[in-house]
Amino acid sequence: MTTKTLLASTNPLGWHDFWRGEFGQWIITRGLRLVMVLIAAVLAARFVTWVAQQVTRQLDLGFAESDALVRSEATKHRQAVASVIQWVSVVIIGIWVILQIAEILQFSVSGLVAPATVVGAALGFGAQQLVRDLLAGFFILVEKQYGFGDLVRLTISGSATDASGTVENVTLRVTKLRSPDGEVFTVPNGQIVKSINLSKDWARAVVDIPVSTSVDLNRVNEVLHEQCEHARDDPALGELLLDAPTVMGVESIEVDTVTLRLVARTLPGKQFEAGRQLRVLVIRALALAGIVTAADATVGLVEDPAVPAAQAAEKESRGEVQDAVQPQ
């Protein structure tokens, strides 16, 4: 009974003595402040990330519910700015946490002046590329060179090949591209020498039509002009074109082929799709008109025997073009 009474009487006193001690007072004062600062930083970073995700989701939802085939320039710029604001906010929160921890732990700043000078000079040489990336990213956003969803081609210093693809993310430090093969390129902004935006405001589809030198070019031009006038009547192609295509005329002359060029203004980033559909219309129209293109004569693109162009190509390949005379 005496031992139990002593334990019951000494344990509460010992527990109270622990909190009154130096370590207990440090936990109550500085330890709790340190924990609260860390919790506040984590919550603030999560809140900033959540807000940026909500902004991006609203922009995506507004684009999905609209009738537009491509994003507007304002939407692409806002999405890029939201990503940068998120990145900068997280960095600022991290710096604030470091300063608060230094204040709670009562680090002597005056004693760190000399070492900080040496470390700052060393980091100054090593951080030149980082500062260059940040400045380049800042001007990319301010000048609206490209934004989220743009189709770009970037020339990188020290690289033999260009990086091409769709912009998936833009920060002050890097630009992330998704190539047509699904690969993701991460390019530091400071290494970008030249940027070509293939989906800025509008684009141009260029279609070259090689025909044989033996065909009537006036007839070819008539067929092409007719297709240009009715190109916007096509349900799929009409949504991509901003105006009617234009026949530019003869682009080049070779030994056995003459190349004519047709151009059309399209929605930004849709020039390749519009070009493919224009080629289908042109080849179909030329085949129905009995005009054999260079592609038909060499690789036999037209395989329908009911088409006059296919019949002519087949007879020419067999050497039977001039055997129309019936035997007597």
Side-chain angles (χ1 to χ4, degrees):
M1 294 295 294
T2 306
T3 306
K4 293 181 180 179
T5 305
L6 289 174
L7 290 174
S9 61
T10 55
N11 283 340
L13 293 176
W15 184 253
H16 288 298
D17 290 340
F18 171 77
W19 291 111
R20 291 174 183 174
E22 182 179 356
F23 186 69
Q25 289 295 317
W26 186 91
I27 293 177
I28 294 175
T29 56
R30 299 180 186 177
L32 288 178
R33 287 182 58 192
L34 185 63
V35 172
M36 293 179 64
V37 166
L38 294 176
I39 293 176
V42 172
L43 293 177
R46 287 182 175 272
F47 176 74
V48 169
T49 304
W50 179 81
V51 171
Q53 290 176 352
Q54 290 298 317
V55 172
T56 303
R57 187 176 295 110
Q58 290 297 327
L59 292 175
D60 292 338
L61 183 61
F63 169 70
E65 292 179 351
S66 66
D67 296 332
L69 297 179
V70 295
R71 297 176 184 268
S72 63
E73 296 297 327
T75 301
K76 292 185 288 188
H77 184 66
R78 288 171 188 167
Q79 198 152 351
V81 170
S83 176
V84 170
I85 291 177
Q86 175 189 356
W87 185 80
V88 173
S89 300
V90 172
V91 171
I92 292 176
I93 292 173
I95 295 174
W96 176 78
V97 170
I98 293 175
L99 294 178
Q100 291 297 318
I101 291 176
E103 181 182 354
I104 293 172
L105 299 180
Q106 295 182 350
F107 284 142
S108 178
V109 180
S110 59
L112 297 176
V113 172
T117 303
V118 178
V119 174
L123 291 177
F125 292 100
Q128 290 181 359
Q129 184 60 45
L130 177 61
V131 175
R132 185 184 306 171
D133 294 341
L134 297 178
L135 290 177
F138 173 77
F139 286 110
I140 287 174
L141 293 175
V142 171
E143 297 172 357
K144 299 182 180 179
Q145 297 181 15
Y146 51 81
F148 177 84
D150 277 334
L151 182 62
V152 299
R153 182 183 300 118
L154 304 179
T155 302
I156 306 172
S157 61
S159 177
T161 59
D162 296 341
S164 302
T166 304
V167 178
E168 285 201 343
N169 193 15
V170 181
T171 65
L172 288 180
R173 197 182 71 85
V174 298
T175 297
K176 292 185 179 180
L177 304 179
R178 175 78 65 176
S179 71
D181 297 331
E183 302 170 340
V184 177
F185 296 98
T186 301
V187 183
N189 294 328
Q191 296 184 9
I192 299 175
V193 179
K194 181 177 64 175
S195 63
I196 302 176
N197 194 332
L198 303 177
S199 57
K200 183 74 171 179
D201 297 329
W202 58 272
R204 176 177 285 123
V206 179
V207 178
D208 289 336
I209 305 102
V211 296
S212 176
T213 54
S214 61
V215 302
D216 186 2
L217 293 182
N218 293 329
R219 177 56 179 160
V220 175
N221 283 322
E222 291 178 2
V223 174
L224 294 180
H225 281 290
E226 182 180 354
Q227 291 302 312
C228 291
E229 293 177 358
H230 299 88
R232 303 192 70 181
D233 297 336
D234 186 88
L237 184 59
E239 295 181 351
L240 306 178
L241 298 178
L242 296 178
D243 48 27
T246 304
V247 179
M248 304 300 294
V250 177
E251 177 64 22
S252 63
I253 301 176
E254 299 181 2
V255 177
D256 54 351
T257 60
V258 177
T259 302
L260 292 87
R261 173 161 293 183
L262 185 149
V263 298
R265 278 202 325 141
T266 70
L267 292 174
K270 297 296 183 179
Q271 63 269 34
F272 304 108
E273 182 179 354
R276 287 189 290 267
Q277 297 190 22
L278 277 174
R279 290 183 183 93
V280 172
L281 292 180
V282 167
I283 292 212
R284 183 184 303 165
L286 292 177
L288 291 175
I291 300 173
V292 181
T293 64
D296 295 331
T298 55
V299 298
L301 289 181
V302 180
E303 300 178 356
D304 189 358
V307 179
Q311 294 177 351
E314 184 180 359
K315 291 181 180 180
E316 184 177 357
S317 62
R318 296 181 180 179
E320 300 176 355
V321 178
Q322 299 180 354
D323 60 349
V325 180
Q326 296 293 333
Q328 295 181 356

